[in-house]
Amino acid sequence: MKVGKIAVIGSGVMGQGIAYVAAVGGFQVTLHDIKREAMDRALQSIQRDLEEGVRRGKLVQEEADAALRRIRLSESLTDAVKDADLVIEAVLELMDLKIDIFRQLDEICPSHTILATNTSTMSPTEIAAGTRRADRCVAMHFFNPVPKMKLVEIIRGMDTSDQTVEIVRAVAEQMGKETVEVNEFPGFVAGRISALVGNEAMYMLMEGVASAEDIDKAIKLGLGYPMGPFELADLVGLDTRLRNLEYLYKTLGEKYRPCPLLLKYVKAGRLGKKSGRGIFEYDKNGQKRPSRR
């Protein structure tokens, strides 16, 4: 099957990033969210990313304009997926929510449509179990920020067919991504390592080992990471990081117990860039404010 039309469910940071790379890759894209204002913000962000791509020489203006024309917005789930070849769900990391969305998609999507969940930790087998097309269900784990990160983890569920894996691999490659195939296990590959590093960094901050800025600097310059663990946590969202750790703690055990300081930040509403304050503070344009130290 040749994929031409992709629907992306959820217009948050991950959803808008997936819509961007899909449109740049030449696919017709429908972005769906239940809130119109969320979709409008996502489209503005996509436009800024396209403009940045032109400034950095990654795209020419004609390519950016063509990519933007390939994206449409839809508040109706039925309208968004009615003729999609591939649907990529990119909602919150909540199992019940993902299962419910997959059940709805199974009812309204054409019979040939592949259903993919963008998840960093959760079981595609469990998410697909409520559908009648488990062979056409799969996990595609994109990394944040999607326009810049090269990897997509492809995780097959118990019943995912070889054909489905090869189709989504080809789609990811057309989006300019490299792929790895992962056997289903909580956290997959990158998510397990990232969660451990991020959680250990929170413990070091809580223990006063070093400042957040210096911990990030040490990880970037000492270990070659492109982004420090706190910079990444603020980008992903501390609430998202907490949900991932809670799931890994439940499924993999004690070493993933969330740091108490992370719980405190989330309870205080310090969620990262999206709230203007997380480990660091941000201005209205999402730029990190200088440290007060």
Side-chain angles (χ1 to χ4, degrees), residues 4-11 19 27-36 39 70-89 101 104-105 108-110 112-115:
K5 296 181 179 180
I6 295 176
V8 180
I9 310 304
S11 64
F27 298 99
Q28 296 294 324
V29 181
T30 301
L31 182 61
H32 164 76
D33 202 294
I34 58 175
K35 295 181 180 179
R36 180 73 199 194
M39 288 191 294
R70 294 188 193 104
I71 301 173
R72 74 180 184 96
L73 308 179
S74 177
E75 293 177 75
S76 165
L77 182 62
T78 300
D79 172 70
V81 305
K82 62 185 179 183
D83 57 357
D85 302 310
L86 170 64
V87 178
I88 303 175
E89 163 271 305
I101 289 174
Q104 293 182 59
L105 293 172
I108 59 182
C109 286
H112 74 279
T113 306
I114 291 172
L115 307 182

Side-chain angles (χ1 to χ4, degrees), residues 120-122 141 153 185-193 247-248 252:
S120 59
T121 57
M122 294 184 174
H141 178 206
E153 287 181 316
F185 210 78
F188 316 137
V189 175
R192 287 176 66 172
I193 298 299
Y247 181 77
L248 292 172
L252 295 179

Side-chain angles (χ1 to χ4, degrees), residues 125-181:
T125 298
E126 185 175 354
I127 293 169
T131 76
R132 295 162 295 182
R133 62 177 86 198
D135 61 316
R136 278 158 287 148
C137 294
V138 68
M140 296 179 73
H141 178 206
F142 291 82
F143 291 79
N144 196 5
V146 179
K148 296 178 181 178
M149 299 296 282
K150 294 292 292 182
L151 181 65
V152 174
E153 287 181 316
I154 298 173
I155 304 94
R156 62 165 78 222
M158 181 176 290
D159 296 311
T160 305
S161 70
D162 292 342
Q163 182 185 37
T164 294
V165 170
E166 291 311 310
I167 289 170
V168 298
R169 190 194 309 279
V171 167
E173 289 173 353
Q174 189 172 328
M175 292 176 178
K177 305 301 183 185
E178 296 188 29
T179 66
V180 294
E181 186 176 334

